[in-house]
Amino acid sequence: MERYELSDCDKRLIEIALRVLKENFDDGIYNHTVGCVVLCKNGNIYKGVNCDGIHGSCAEYITIGTAISAGERDFDTIVAAHDRHLNYVIPPCGNCRQMLYEYCPDIKVIVNDENGNLIKVKAKDLLPFA
């Protein structure tokens, strides 16, 4: 698995994900508990939050869907965040890993490695033997 170091731009993406969550967090209801940002290869940025409920949808799904709805198809980096997690970064769940693998297997995903350090890996490396 190839690992990529974080750039200043990646750190800014985490800040944006935390800000979108802060702007939409609904304390006590907990429908919006994760913020997400995707950077497209053309430099455009799209934001989203999870929409919890009986079926719910993860922030990664909402964010990728927003970008696709705007006509985007070439993605560079994605990150999901919450202010109470290690380095603020939340790794994608299994469903999100599958979605990222199918839509954009080469997108870089910001995650914490086994030592708690922030790194980027390709989505396809998060779902071996897909």
Side-chain angles (χ1 to χ4, degrees):
M1 174 187 325
E2 191 169 358
R3 296 171 180 223
Y4 304 86
E5 290 190 31
L6 262 62
S7 67
D8 288 338
C9 178
D10 296 323
K11 293 172 187 173
R12 178 82 175 117
L13 293 176
I14 295 169
E15 291 172 7
I16 295 169
L18 289 168
R19 186 172 65 236
V20 72
L21 175 60
K22 184 177 181 180
E23 292 169 354
N24 294 285
F25 186 74
D26 53 353
D27 196 24
I29 299 170
Y30 306 114
N31 285 335
H32 312 295
T33 56
V34 177
C36 184
V37 175
V38 64
L39 171 66
C40 299
K41 289 187 178 178
N42 63 11
N44 290 338
I45 292 175
Y46 295 87
K47 306 176 281 186
V49 294
N50 67 310
C51 292
D52 204 8
I54 192 164
H55 294 289
S57 190
C58 293
E60 293 92 336
Y61 264 94
I62 299 291
T63 306
I64 291 289
T66 299
I68 288 172
S69 296
E72 302 289 353
R73 298 295 186 273
D74 297 316
F75 304 106
D76 185 80
T77 304
I78 192 167
V79 62
H82 189 285
D83 65 355
R84 294 185 186 121
H85 283 269
L86 179 64
N87 293 319
Y88 308 115
V89 171
I90 298 173
C93 72
N95 288 334
C96 289
R97 290 174 192 222
Q98 184 69 41
M99 179 270 300
L100 292 171
Y101 180 86
E102 291 175 8
Y103 276 86
C104 43
D106 290 321
I107 191 173
K108 293 175 203 79
V109 183
I110 299 174
V111 295
N112 288 289
D113 70 8
E114 60 277 357
N115 297 314
N117 300 310
L118 289 172
I119 60 167
K120 292 190 295 187
V121 297
K122 290 186 177 181
K124 64 184 177 188
D125 291 331
L126 290 174
L127 197 63
F129 310 109

PDB file of all heavy atoms in Angstrom, residues 14 20-21 30 54 56 61 77 81 92 95 122 130:
ATOM      1  N   ILE A  14      -9.053  19.184   6.238  1.00  0.00           N
ATOM      2  CA  ILE A  14      -9.529  18.734   7.550  1.00  0.00           C
ATOM      3  C   ILE A  14     -10.207  19.900   8.275  1.00  0.00           C
ATOM      4  O   ILE A  14     -11.277  19.725   8.857  1.00  0.00           O
ATOM      5  CB  ILE A  14      -8.370  18.149   8.385  1.00  0.00           C
ATOM      6  CG1 ILE A  14      -7.825  16.883   7.713  1.00  0.00           C
ATOM      7  CG2 ILE A  14      -8.836  17.851   9.813  1.00  0.00           C
ATOM      8  CD1 ILE A  14      -6.517  16.386   8.302  1.00  0.00           C
ATOM      9  N   VAL A  20     -17.559  22.613   8.453  1.00  0.00           N
ATOM     10  CA  VAL A  20     -18.897  22.267   7.941  1.00  0.00           C
ATOM     11  C   VAL A  20     -19.671  21.476   8.988  1.00  0.00           C
ATOM     12  O   VAL A  20     -20.883  21.645   9.130  1.00  0.00           O
ATOM     13  CB  VAL A  20     -18.839  21.542   6.581  1.00  0.00           C
ATOM     14  CG1 VAL A  20     -18.328  20.122   6.692  1.00  0.00           C
ATOM     15  CG2 VAL A  20     -20.202  21.543   5.914  1.00  0.00           C
ATOM     16  N   LEU A  21     -18.986  20.642   9.749  1.00  0.00           N
ATOM     17  CA  LEU A  21     -19.658  19.929  10.826  1.00  0.00           C
ATOM     18  C   LEU A  21     -20.124  20.904  11.902  1.00  0.00           C
ATOM     19  O   LEU A  21     -21.268  20.839  12.346  1.00  0.00           O
ATOM     20  CB  LEU A  21     -18.743  18.871  11.439  1.00  0.00           C
ATOM     21  CG  LEU A  21     -19.319  18.145  12.652  1.00  0.00           C
ATOM     22  CD1 LEU A  21     -20.615  17.422  12.289  1.00  0.00           C
ATOM     23  CD2 LEU A  21     -18.303  17.198  13.247  1.00  0.00           C
ATOM     24  N   TYR A  30     -28.217  14.538  16.971  1.00  0.00           N
ATOM     25  CA  TYR A  30     -27.140  13.727  16.399  1.00  0.00           C
ATOM     26  C   TYR A  30     -27.443  13.189  15.000  1.00  0.00           C
ATOM     27  O   TYR A  30     -27.053  12.085  14.657  1.00  0.00           O
ATOM     28  CB  TYR A  30     -26.751  12.589  17.351  1.00  0.00           C
ATOM     29  CG  TYR A  30     -26.402  13.112  18.716  1.00  0.00           C
ATOM     30  CD1 TYR A  30     -27.192  12.811  19.820  1.00  0.00           C
ATOM     31  CD2 TYR A  30     -25.304  13.955  18.899  1.00  0.00           C
ATOM     32  CE1 TYR A  30     -26.887  13.318  21.076  1.00  0.00           C
ATOM     33  CE2 TYR A  30     -24.996  14.462  20.152  1.00  0.00           C
ATOM     34  CZ  TYR A  30     -25.786  14.141  21.227  1.00  0.00           C
ATOM     35  OH  TYR A  30     -25.481  14.645  22.460  1.00  0.00           O
ATOM     36  N   ILE A  54     -33.417   6.614  10.040  1.00  0.00           N
ATOM     37  CA  ILE A  54     -33.740   5.196   9.972  1.00  0.00           C
ATOM     38  C   ILE A  54     -32.845   4.461   8.975  1.00  0.00           C
ATOM     39  O   ILE A  54     -32.447   3.337   9.204  1.00  0.00           O
ATOM     40  CB  ILE A  54     -35.231   4.958   9.680  1.00  0.00           C
ATOM     41  CG1 ILE A  54     -35.572   3.500   9.912  1.00  0.00           C
ATOM     42  CG2 ILE A  54     -35.590   5.416   8.286  1.00  0.00           C
ATOM     43  CD1 ILE A  54     -37.046   3.224  10.033  1.00  0.00           C
ATOM     44  N   GLY A  56     -30.238   6.473   7.044  1.00  0.00           N
ATOM     45  CA  GLY A  56     -29.015   7.243   7.169  1.00  0.00           C
ATOM     46  C   GLY A  56     -28.120   7.207   5.948  1.00  0.00           C
ATOM     47  O   GLY A  56     -28.271   6.368   5.068  1.00  0.00           O
ATOM     48  N   TYR A  61     -20.786   9.701   1.367  1.00  0.00           N
ATOM     49  CA  TYR A  61     -21.806   9.522   0.324  1.00  0.00           C
ATOM     50  C   TYR A  61     -22.417  10.865  -0.057  1.00  0.00           C
ATOM     51  O   TYR A  61     -22.596  11.167  -1.248  1.00  0.00           O
ATOM     52  CB  TYR A  61     -22.920   8.588   0.808  1.00  0.00           C
ATOM     53  CG  TYR A  61     -22.742   7.156   0.401  1.00  0.00           C
ATOM     54  CD1 TYR A  61     -22.118   6.251   1.242  1.00  0.00           C
ATOM     55  CD2 TYR A  61     -23.221   6.701  -0.816  1.00  0.00           C
ATOM     56  CE1 TYR A  61     -21.967   4.924   0.879  1.00  0.00           C
ATOM     57  CE2 TYR A  61     -23.080   5.373  -1.189  1.00  0.00           C
ATOM     58  CZ  TYR A  61     -22.450   4.488  -0.338  1.00  0.00           C
ATOM     59  OH  TYR A  61     -22.301   3.180  -0.704  1.00  0.00           O
ATOM     60  N   THR A  77      -8.764  14.061  -3.388  1.00  0.00           N
ATOM     61  CA  THR A  77      -8.611  13.718  -1.968  1.00  0.00           C
ATOM     62  C   THR A  77      -9.942  13.888  -1.251  1.00  0.00           C
ATOM     63  O   THR A  77     -10.695  14.800  -1.544  1.00  0.00           O
ATOM     64  CB  THR A  77      -7.558  14.634  -1.304  1.00  0.00           C
ATOM     65  OG1 THR A  77      -6.326  14.530  -2.013  1.00  0.00           O
ATOM     66  CG2 THR A  77      -7.330  14.255   0.157  1.00  0.00           C
ATOM     67  N   ALA A  81     -14.387  14.022   9.101  1.00  0.00           N
ATOM     68  CA  ALA A  81     -13.827  14.463  10.382  1.00  0.00           C
ATOM     69  C   ALA A  81     -14.901  14.700  11.429  1.00  0.00           C
ATOM     70  O   ALA A  81     -16.056  14.972  11.116  1.00  0.00           O
ATOM     71  CB  ALA A  81     -13.026  15.754  10.174  1.00  0.00           C
ATOM     72  N   PRO A  92     -13.240   5.926   6.536  1.00  0.00           N
ATOM     73  CA  PRO A  92     -14.513   5.540   5.924  1.00  0.00           C
ATOM     74  C   PRO A  92     -14.957   4.153   6.396  1.00  0.00           C
ATOM     75  O   PRO A  92     -14.130   3.260   6.590  1.00  0.00           O
ATOM     76  CB  PRO A  92     -14.228   5.545   4.429  1.00  0.00           C
ATOM     77  CG  PRO A  92     -12.763   5.652   4.270  1.00  0.00           C
ATOM     78  CD  PRO A  92     -12.167   6.067   5.567  1.00  0.00           C
ATOM     79  N   ASN A  95     -19.129   0.463   3.860  1.00  0.00           N
ATOM     80  CA  ASN A  95     -19.971   0.893   2.744  1.00  0.00           C
ATOM     81  C   ASN A  95     -19.320   2.036   1.973  1.00  0.00           C
ATOM     82  O   ASN A  95     -19.365   2.072   0.739  1.00  0.00           O
ATOM     83  CB  ASN A  95     -21.357   1.325   3.237  1.00  0.00           C
ATOM     84  CG  ASN A  95     -22.200   0.160   3.668  1.00  0.00           C
ATOM     85  OD1 ASN A  95     -22.020  -0.965   3.216  1.00  0.00           O
ATOM     86  ND2 ASN A  95     -23.144   0.420   4.558  1.00  0.00           N
ATOM     87  N   LYS A 122      -4.767   5.419  -1.205  1.00  0.00           N
ATOM     88  CA  LYS A 122      -5.795   5.333  -2.237  1.00  0.00           C
ATOM     89  C   LYS A 122      -6.972   4.502  -1.736  1.00  0.00           C
ATOM     90  O   LYS A 122      -6.794   3.539  -0.984  1.00  0.00           O
ATOM     91  CB  LYS A 122      -5.219   4.730  -3.511  1.00  0.00           C
ATOM     92  CG  LYS A 122      -4.260   5.672  -4.203  1.00  0.00           C
ATOM     93  CD  LYS A 122      -3.803   5.146  -5.538  1.00  0.00           C
ATOM     94  CE  LYS A 122      -2.912   6.181  -6.206  1.00  0.00           C
ATOM     95  NZ  LYS A 122      -2.453   5.713  -7.523  1.00  0.00           N
ATOM     96  N   ALA A 130     -11.457  -6.423  -3.323  1.00  0.00           N
ATOM     97  CA  ALA A 130     -12.825  -5.940  -3.598  1.00  0.00           C
ATOM     98  C   ALA A 130     -13.442  -6.713  -4.758  1.00  0.00           C
ATOM     99  O   ALA A 130     -12.769  -7.140  -5.668  1.00  0.00           O
ATOM    100  CB  ALA A 130     -12.781  -4.455  -3.923  1.00  0.00           C
TER     101      ALA A 130
END
